[in-house]
Amino acid sequence: MTLRKMAIIAALPLLIACSGKKAEEKSSPLTPREQLLALLDSASTSKTVFFGHHDDTVYGHSWELEEGRSDILEIVGDYPAVMSWDLGGIEADDSLNLDGVPFERISREVVAQDERGGINTFSWHLHNPVNGGDAWDVSDTTIVAQIAHNPETTERFREQVRKAARFFNSLTDSSGDKVGVIFRPWHEHNGNWFWWGQDFASDEDFRFLWTEMRRVMDEEGADNVVYAYSPDRVDSEKEYLHRYPGDKYVDILGIDIYHLGGEAGVEDYREAANRGLGIVEKLAMEKGKRAAFTETGLESINMRGWYTQVLLPLMQRHHSLGYVVVWRNAPDKPAHFYAPYPGHIEAADFLNFKHNATTGFASDAHGFAPKYRKAART
Ligand code: BMA
């Protein structure tokens, strides 16, 4: 045996140990946050925009809380790639959220969506911590200031956030691992319809909602959460960033823009959406963030071909977006729906939308599963 060979043999255990370690590192699963972000990156680079629907599997236009149903599934044979949910009510220890959905059911649906390879996102229409008024109660315009400056209110606010954090922490899959979710609090803050809206807070106090919320979420160990920022329509980058809390608080740059006024409003919508999404894409690129169309839709879809003629061209033009979410199909308000349902005249158009290469549904998201996603979930 040559000296050289002997040296190699002597070094073998070390080499094996090293390569073993390397292999282990390489195949170790991503954290839930990393998995979610990687999935959005895959969509973005492959010019796929995932389709999402609020409360998709918990009720539809003419049914409520049945298991296994979805208006989208019943039209196109696939689930949305993104399920949107709302945490409103968790802060008051309610068992049902503000739209009557049991939180226990939402938890199960989040896990089911994760198991099918899709994404979950949460908004939060929370009651204020001063007088318990709902998200739309703007009669007291000092709520945000009180949260920021009145120690007792600050503590009540922290407690609200702790309850949200505990809910996120409780979202675990069948292997006991936490499920990564998107959280999109303080949405549409540049409007004046929520107590955290533009005219009801100073810039600094509004930012406190974000920074303190995030501090408490981190303190509670809610490390499975990806954060989305989503103002309503804006005209400029400056306006978009007006109350931006800072890069360290936000992972996804989003925007909420609805098509208002039926067919007569189509140009206004196209213009506002092209402008807003252009801003979101540009800033996301510059800041190394993900981009999304966090809420949109045409209530009642009272225009022919809306999905393929209006929404799809926006998605094709702004293909770096990770996803687009349309709002809910309310079971108790017949005109309050944003996705077609079986029998609706736009169901056929929606099927064409689904078959277009740009749009991604749950099975597409499953195909994009990040390389190091846990074996159990691939
Ligand atoms: C609004 C409407 C309301 C609903 C709220 C929160 O846009 O859909 O009916 O309660 O969102 O989901």
Side-chain angles (χ1 to χ4, degrees):
M1 194 180 282
T2 64
L3 263 181
R4 197 167 159 265
K5 265 193 186 156
M6 276 170 70
I8 290 173
I9 289 168
L12 258 183
L14 189 67
L15 283 174
I16 290 166
C18 286
S19 63
K21 184 156 181 281
K22 230 175 158 187
E24 195 183 294
E25 268 170 17
K26 224 180 143 198
S27 64
S28 66
L30 300 175
T31 65
R33 255 180 66 87
E34 288 167 341
Q35 285 181 27
L36 213 166
L37 293 170
L39 184 53
L40 291 175
D41 286 341
S42 316
S44 180
T45 50
S46 67
K47 303 188 181 179
T48 299
V49 182
F50 290 140
F51 174 77
H53 186 208
H54 190 70
D55 280 348
D56 183 76
T57 49
V58 289
Y59 55 75
H61 181 254
S62 54
W63 57 274
E64 200 170 358
L65 297 177
E66 290 173 40
E67 302 271 344
R69 293 196 64 178
S70 148
D71 282 349
I72 298 296
L73 177 72
E74 287 166 29
I75 294 174
V76 302
D78 201 351
Y79 288 100
V82 179
M83 298 289 178
S84 165
W85 314 105
D86 199 279
L87 270 192
I90 203 90
E91 71 286 351
D93 291 319
D94 293 345
S95 61
L96 308 182
N97 85 349
L98 80 167
D99 293 318
V101 187
F103 283 109
E104 173 274 325
R105 174 72 187 266
I106 295 178
S107 299
R108 278 195 288 121
E109 295 294 343
V110 164
V111 175
Q113 175 70 354
D114 187 69
E115 302 273 348
R116 61 175 81 98
I119 291 174
N120 291 283
T121 178
F122 282 87
S123 48
W124 194 15
H125 289 89
L126 72 164
H127 296 88
N128 79 64
V130 173
N131 59 28
D134 68 21
W136 294 267
D137 181 350
V138 294
S139 55
D140 182 344
T141 58
T142 68
I143 306 284
V144 183
Q146 290 192 58
I147 291 173
H149 303 291
N150 177 338
E152 211 181 290
T153 314
T154 311
E155 192 41 43
R156 279 218 287 268
F157 171 74
R158 290 190 185 118
E159 198 44 36
Q160 292 184 311
V161 176
R162 279 184 205 113
K163 288 174 184 170
R166 283 176 205 138
F167 178 80
F168 290 134
N169 276 331
S170 76
L171 298 171
T172 50
D173 65 17
S174 52
S175 331
D177 292 328
K178 281 196 209 172
V179 173
V181 295
I182 299 167
F183 187 29
R184 188 172 64 88
W186 325 126
H187 67 299
E188 302 169 12
H189 62 267
N190 54 338
N192 283 314
W193 44 89
F194 297 132
W195 57 256
W196 57 88
Q198 182 70 33
D199 292 351
F200 318 129
S202 69
D203 293 352
E204 199 190 327
D205 291 350
F206 174 75
R207 283 201 193 94
F208 182 82
L209 294 181
W210 266 99
T211 56
E212 186 61 11
M213 178 270 305
R214 182 64 192 267
R215 198 192 60 71
V216 173
M217 293 285 287
D218 290 348
E219 189 175 79
E220 288 294 312
D223 53 5
N224 51 334
V225 181
V226 165
Y227 296 88
Y229 172 78
S230 65
D232 203 78
R233 297 175 177 228
V234 294
D235 286 329
S236 64
E237 280 178 39
K238 193 165 168 249
E239 210 181 309
Y240 183 86
L241 291 174
H242 183 65
R243 288 185 172 179
Y244 184 62
D247 288 346
K248 68 179 201 187
Y249 299 99
V250 172
D251 303 292
I252 297 174
L253 300 184
I255 195 161
D256 293 8
I257 302 173
Y258 280 86
H259 178 159
L260 305 171
E263 191 140 14
V266 71
E267 278 320 311
D268 167 72
Y269 173 70
R270 279 200 180 110
E271 226 176 270
N274 272 319
R275 187 172 54 243
L277 295 173
I279 290 170
V280 161
E281 283 188 300
K282 177 168 179 280
L283 290 173
M285 174 77 89
E286 286 170 9
K287 290 173 173 297
K289 305 291 179 192
R290 282 75 184 173
F293 200 175
T294 37
E295 268 187 55
T296 193
L298 169 64
E299 190 179 27
S300 295
I301 330 177
N302 52 8
M303 176 186 161
R304 296 306 309 269
W306 188 79
Y307 273 92
T308 57
Q309 306 305 309
V310 182
L311 185 59
L312 182 59
L314 288 170
M315 293 162 79
Q316 287 169 323
R317 179 159 168 189
H318 302 282
H319 52 71
S320 78
L321 294 171
Y323 61 92
V324 50
V325 168
V326 300
W327 208 238
R328 65 200 198 104
N329 285 9
D332 52 347
K333 299 178 187 168
H336 193 48
F337 64 90
Y338 294 84
Y341 47 85
H344 187 267
I345 190 162
E346 293 303 307
D349 183 64
F350 192 85
L351 190 59
N352 289 333
F353 170 83
K354 196 259 172 196
H355 286 143
N356 187 280
T358 302
T359 63
F361 284 68
S363 38
D364 303 305
H366 189 271
F368 281 136
K371 205 165 160 202
Y372 302 125
R373 197 173 157 91
K374 276 193 327 165
R377 292 205 214 122
T378 53

